[in-house]
Amino acid sequence: MSHIQMTPELIEKVKTIAVEAGEKIMQIYQQDFEIYDKSDSSPLTEADLAAHHHIVDGLQALAEIPILSEESANIPWDERKTWVRYWLVDPLDGTKEFIKKNGEFTVNIALIEYGEPTFGVVHAPAINKTYVGQVDSGAYCEENGAKNEIKAKAHQTGDTWKVVGSRSHQSPEINKILDGLDGETELVAMGSSLKLCLVASGEAHLYPRVGPTSEWDTGAAHAVALAAGAKVTVLDPDNPMDPDASPLRYNQKDSVLNPFFLVSF
């Protein structure tokens, strides 16, 4: 199986597309708005669509690769199942964070090849932070112009388990997982795909997701996590630390909904 070679120049181009999409989102985010529903006239939809169109136009100019975006998700399975590789895009992840104006929302662009994320960019425009990862080549976080390599970290005996939870979607199953860990636990709240990036950067040990997500919610940050040495596996709430859990894969079925999953070292 051959993979696309993401050259430094190509990586910079994709990163620039994400950053520019973020600028379009911020123009709307910084306005005073009162319409919160994701309807055709809401600021949220305006931001979504502005970012979507910019990303799609930019990626189409780079390569003839199919694009699956949350804002163009009606591509039939009969067509999608023939794809060897494609761009997977969430132009604005973190709807509730956008509405609450807490800054924890992201632009996500992933390259999926043979069902696996091999490259991803996660850009958080409100906090000016960008995560980039290429599997087998490493990952970094760029903040205020400085690039720093990131690596996932294993939990050490005696350390407090830092477990990522959703700021907007708490689930009772999380408590069961926390209770099953040996030692003290600390829940780290975060919104959007930044949750996976916390494990990728070593700021947290685990991110168990036992709520609904779609493939575009996770693809880019999944690639960053893999590139940083973490793994993303299908989660069984009754056996959350199963060492033989299957890797989370993409574009394997008609539905774009993910199963429950766990991000860990």
Side-chain angles (χ1 to χ4, degrees):
M1 297 187 296
S2 61
H3 293 277
I4 288 180
Q5 180 59 40
M6 293 294 296
T7 63
E9 293 78 14
L10 188 54
I11 290 172
E12 284 300 314
K13 287 179 179 179
V14 177
K15 187 176 72 175
T16 297
I17 290 169
V19 170
E20 290 173 348
E23 291 170 353
K24 293 183 179 297
I25 290 171
M26 291 304 295
Q27 291 172 4
I28 298 167
Y29 179 74
Q30 290 165 348
Q31 299 171 5
D32 289 328
F33 55 79
E34 298 177 353
I35 305 171
Y36 296 155
D37 292 333
K38 192 172 180 182
S39 61
D40 289 344
S41 58
S42 77
L44 180 60
T45 298
E46 288 180 39
D48 257 322
L49 291 176
H52 163 77
H53 290 303
H54 183 80
I55 293 168
V56 169
D57 289 347
L59 293 178
Q60 286 178 336
L62 291 182
E64 292 186 10
I65 299 174
I67 301 170
L68 179 65
S69 168
E70 181 179 12
E71 298 303 329
S72 60
N74 57 349
I75 299 171
W77 169 238
D78 282 347
E79 178 180 345
R80 282 196 292 115
K81 68 182 180 182
T82 66
W83 293 353
V84 171
R85 64 178 54 85
Y86 65 101
W87 297 109
L88 180 60
V89 174
D90 191 345
L92 175 51
D93 180 39
T95 298
K96 290 183 171 62
E97 282 62 44
F98 182 90
I99 291 169
K100 292 175 184 176
K101 290 201 169 185
N102 68 12
E104 296 172 5
F105 54 89
T106 54
V107 176
N108 300 285
I109 302 175
L111 178 64
I112 309 296
E113 299 183 278
Y114 306 98
E116 300 175 359
T118 56
F119 169 78
V121 174
V122 176
H123 175 58
I127 58 176
N128 195 28
K129 187 177 285 190
T130 307
Y131 294 89
V132 179
Q134 183 175 8
V135 174
D136 297 330
S137 297
Y140 65 85
C141 177
E142 185 169 353
E143 189 172 10
N144 300 320
K147 291 183 182 179
N148 292 298
E149 183 184 13
I150 58 173
K151 289 186 177 180
K153 294 179 182 177
H155 176 264
Q156 302 295 324
T157 302
D159 287 351
T160 296
W161 283 96
K162 293 188 176 182
V163 182
V164 185
S166 172
R167 196 181 293 284
S168 301
H169 304 278
Q170 286 300 352
S171 169
E173 289 93 343
I174 290 289
N175 289 329
K176 181 177 180 180
I177 294 171
L178 294 177
D179 292 342
L181 297 174
D182 183 21
E184 295 292 318
T185 60
E186 174 187 342
L187 192 65
V188 183
M190 182 60 69
S192 74
S193 60
L194 292 170
K195 293 189 286 291
L196 291 90
C197 295
L198 286 179
V199 179
S201 62
E203 297 172 76
H205 301 109
L206 298 174
Y207 169 35
R209 182 67 188 207
V210 290
T213 58
S214 295
E215 293 182 1
W216 45 71
D217 294 323
T218 57
H222 185 167
V224 172
L226 293 179
K231 57 184 179 181
V232 183
T233 52
V234 176
L235 176 112
D236 177 357
D238 293 325
N239 187 18
M241 305 302 286
D242 180 6
D244 298 319
S246 301
L248 183 67
R249 291 174 58 79
Y250 294 79
N251 201 41
Q252 302 297 300
K253 59 191 187 307
D254 187 5
S255 171
V256 294
L257 292 177
N258 287 321
F260 295 164
F261 62 85
L262 177 68
V263 188
S264 62
F265 181 75

